[in-house]
Amino acid sequence: MRPTPPARRLRLGLPRRMFSQVLLMQLAIAAGVAVLATGLFLAPLSDQLDDQAMRRALAIAQTAAAEPGIAEEVQRTQPTADGPVQREAERIRRATQAEYVVVMDRRGVRWSHPTASEIGRTVSTDPSQALAGKEVMEIDNGTLGRSARGKVPLRDSEGKIVGAVSVGIAYDSVRARLIHAIPGLLAYAGGALAVGALAAWLISRRVQRQTRDLAFSDISGLLAEREAMLHGIREGVVALDRAGRVRLLNDEAQRLLGIGDEAVGRTPDEALGEGRTADVLAGRATGTDLLTVRGQRVLVANRMPTDDGGAVATLRDRTELDQLGRELDSTRGLIDALRAQDHEHANRMHTLLGLLELEMYDDAVEFVGEVVGDHRATAEQVTERIQDPLLAALLVGKATVAAERGVVLWVSDRTRLPDRLVDPGGLVTILGNLVDNALDAVAGTLHARVEVELRTEGRTAVLRVRDTGPGIPQEHRELIFTEGWSTKKPPAHRERGIGLSLVRRLAERQGGSAAVDDAGGGGAEFTVVLPDALEPEPEPALTAPRTAQPAAEEESC
């Protein structure tokens, strides 16, 4: 037998979907507002109807008291059921549909009443205020029940108070008017509630479409996952709104761009300053995998528009990859140079072996001396003029690569650089990029030559690299320092258009400059000026004078 499935429990509470919850909440609000508005309208309506009834009774009483015949008849006749006062009061009562019109004398004796047996008796309520000359409006109980009343003094032709007139409006009629007004009021409230329900449904449908019919718990979960993902991934994310202002930065983007939370609400130009990075984030530079430099970092940026008119930009750090690419280029160049040297070394060994077999010993010794002397002369020439070991090693290696490519790398006679550099790594980057570009420019040309000059002026370092290549056109002399701009085809492992941008960025970071001009005799000449690139010269140590020792001590030594 199949096991009986457990009975499903009825779950009470709010529905999970945001659409349903928003609709229910809005309906509850609309219904509450309708009920509150109806109650607030009914509360003063009862008072207004009472006031209207009392004013109407007072007006009828004033009209009756204004009849000159009533005051005269009160003074000269007796209160009787068929007297002239009763007939006139009943006429007024029927004409105004009042409950009663009572005329009394100064003693409070009735001269008129809808019930004839009450004529000649005193009134059941206190008439003193009306007999004292005051007009009274009130709701009170009498012989005919509860009524809205108006009382006024009755005066003769000379203005003397001879009695009072009291008029009553049945309170049941006032209540009937109130009850009669309630259905219409409820109809209006129902119509308002229906309009509110329709508006709530339309708004909820819009919320449903925009939230893709998610539940509140799903949305909170997505937000938590988004925060964890944005701040956990090793890729910078910058979100911009439709006005182009930054609205979100994750931790990696802050690290790569060197900015903080103060950038939120500002445009890329305001947060980063003018430059290619701001152009990429703002969408002025288009394309995929756009290269840009921020500080000493090489970044790859991609920008994707969003449906709300904003955009999301992603940033990847390619600094290490670019450095590895440059090292790979240098390594390949050194391998090619070593391969050529190995081939050349084999030829030289064969030549030496031939000289020895021919017993031309003097020629063999001279040949070996020339070979060793050439390499030693190149290294000594560099190390004598450049005392920093990193730069000297760089130039020796570049000289070997240049020789393999058929280029003469010459260190100028004016080169003098002491071993007091503040940032030797930065100068290595600058010199390596300039020499690589110069070698690329002159490779394959006749009499190819690259000259390097490094000298100091006080604490300022001046670096010049000249080549015999085709030179840089005037219109391109600023573009070549822009990230991502290059006329060369990029290799497979990295992008072009970064080296010269790094050169200028490093120079400007130290308060210096990088520029290009025509070299004498053709080609290009790059000049980099780095203020305060050298540490101050150490002051000479003061040697304390030696004091003379007594002769006795000298003899004992």
Side-chain angles (χ1 to χ4, degrees), residues 369-446:
E370 290 178 357
V371 171
V372 175
D374 289 341
H375 291 280
R376 183 177 299 168
T378 301
E380 290 178 354
Q381 178 192 26
V382 172
T383 55
E384 285 177 0
R385 298 172 184 173
I386 299 177
Q387 298 180 10
D388 185 86
L390 289 179
L391 289 173
L394 175 68
L395 286 178
V396 171
K398 295 295 183 183
T400 303
V401 175
E404 166 60 20
R405 300 178 67 178
V407 180
V408 176
L409 180 62
W410 178 257
V411 179
S412 172
D413 296 337
R414 300 177 60 187
T415 295
R416 292 292 184 275
L417 187 68
D419 187 13
R420 291 187 290 109
L421 290 175
V422 175
D423 183 15
L427 196 53
V428 165
T429 300
I430 293 173
L431 181 59
N433 279 295
L434 293 180
V435 171
D436 287 342
N437 286 340
L439 293 178
D440 291 341
V442 301
T445 62
L446 294 176

Side-chain angles (χ1 to χ4, degrees), residues 326-528:
R326 293 179 182 280
E327 292 178 5
L328 179 59
D329 288 343
S330 300
T331 303
R332 286 180 174 176
L334 288 174
I335 291 175
D336 292 340
L338 290 174
R339 187 181 294 114
Q341 286 185 358
D342 179 65
H343 181 71
E344 183 180 0
H345 178 70
N347 292 333
R348 288 171 179 171
M349 293 300 295
H350 292 158
T351 302
L352 180 60
L353 178 62
L355 291 174
L356 293 176
E357 289 180 351
L358 294 174
E359 299 182 356
M360 301 174 64
Y361 303 115
D362 294 337
D363 293 335
V365 172
E366 182 179 358
F367 176 74
V368 172
E370 290 178 357
V371 171
V372 175
D374 289 341
H375 291 280
R376 183 177 299 168
T378 301
E380 290 178 354
Q381 178 192 26
V382 172
T383 55
E384 285 177 0
R385 298 172 184 173
I386 299 177
Q387 298 180 10
D388 185 86
L390 289 179
L391 289 173
L394 175 68
L395 286 178
V396 171
K398 295 295 183 183
T400 303
V401 175
E404 166 60 20
R405 300 178 67 178
V407 180
V408 176
L409 180 62
W410 178 257
V411 179
S412 172
D413 296 337
R414 300 177 60 187
T415 295
R416 292 292 184 275
L417 187 68
D419 187 13
R420 291 187 290 109
L421 290 175
V422 175
D423 183 15
L427 196 53
V428 165
T429 300
I430 293 173
L431 181 59
N433 279 295
L434 293 180
V435 171
D436 287 342
N437 286 340
L439 293 178
D440 291 341
V442 301
T445 62
L446 294 176
H447 309 294
R449 178 185 175 94
V450 174
E451 181 178 354
V452 177
E453 178 183 335
L454 272 168
R455 58 186 176 83
T456 59
E457 298 175 357
R459 294 183 58 194
T460 300
V462 180
L463 168 62
R464 285 191 176 92
V465 177
R466 306 179 187 90
D467 62 64
T468 57
I472 306 296
Q474 184 70 35
E475 63 273 13
H476 291 166
R477 291 184 181 177
E478 284 300 320
L479 290 176
I480 60 174
F481 292 104
T482 304
E483 299 100 318
W485 193 93
S486 178
T487 59
K488 304 172 186 176
K489 182 178 179 180
H493 58 274
R494 64 185 179 93
E495 301 288 342
R496 290 282 189 183
I498 295 298
L500 291 178
S501 175
L502 279 174
V503 167
R504 172 165 282 186
R505 188 64 58 87
L506 289 172
E508 291 178 347
R509 191 184 66 175
Q510 300 183 27
S513 61
V516 61
D517 204 347
D518 292 329
E525 178 180 287
F526 287 85
T527 303
V528 177

